[in-house]
Amino acid sequence: DAMVIQNPRYQVTQFGKPVTLSCSQTLNHNVMYWYQQKSSQAPKLLFHYYDKDFNNEADTPDNFQSRRPNTSFCFLDIRSPGLGDAAMYLCATSRVQALRGEQYFGPGTRLTVT
Amino acid sequence: DQQVKQNSPSLSVQEGRISILNCDYTNSMFDYFLWYKKYPAEGPTFLISISSIKDKNEDGRFTVFLNKSAKHLSLHIVPSQPGDSAVYFCAAARNYGGSQGNLIFGKGTKLSVKP
């Protein structure tokens, strides 16, 4: 089945130790998104790629960066994780030509910072 | 400041009855609205959407109503089933001259349907 896959599902890192979360998709979608969702909060868009074009949200901290080496993969790098970065990180994809707004989400990676 | 608000964190309904989930928004530039459903340990999945040119969209047991003057939308599930128990997120998008704007999500409402 075509899908959005996130690895790992659970990640524990130490305060200040760089961590990378990965997302892959078999849907061949143009657009890939990274969201941060803290407990009982709304998912918040960090950035998205439209093909190779990177789009950063204005309030996304510099501590968060992303790479998209090809259509299928997208990575979220947190350079120096703080305790406040503990959250669920959701990857999503969409086709530009699709029903407006419809995105396909992965199961998420829950990040714990110790 | 939250642009999309779901003021009820949880809702409990008896199987077979109607579930009504509510969502309010503040930005009058939003012109497309979506509902996503999320089961534990899974990502959100798209459920139903509505454009601002409509006031109702129906898909099987699910109907979304939009009241633009009140900046309010609601999702009706009739009849409710235990498998509908999940967290429901309301989301809104803005049309930037024809290109897709990013989604703004609410905090979600946890629906429990009791057998």
Side-chain angles (χ1 to χ4, degrees), chain B residues 2 4-9 21-24 35 88-91 105-109:
Chain B
Q2 272 192 281
V4 176
K5 300 179 184 179
Q6 294 177 257
N7 291 320
S8 297
L21 296 99
N22 293 303
C23 179
D24 297 293
W35 286 94
Y88 290 79
F89 289 98
C90 173
F105 283 89
K107 292 183 178 183
T109 296

Side-chain angles (χ1 to χ4, degrees), chain A residues 7 17 52 65 99-100 109:
Chain A
N7 285 308
K17 184 174 181 181
K52 288 190 176 294
Q65 300 192 341
L99 187 67
R100 247 187 78 226
T109 295

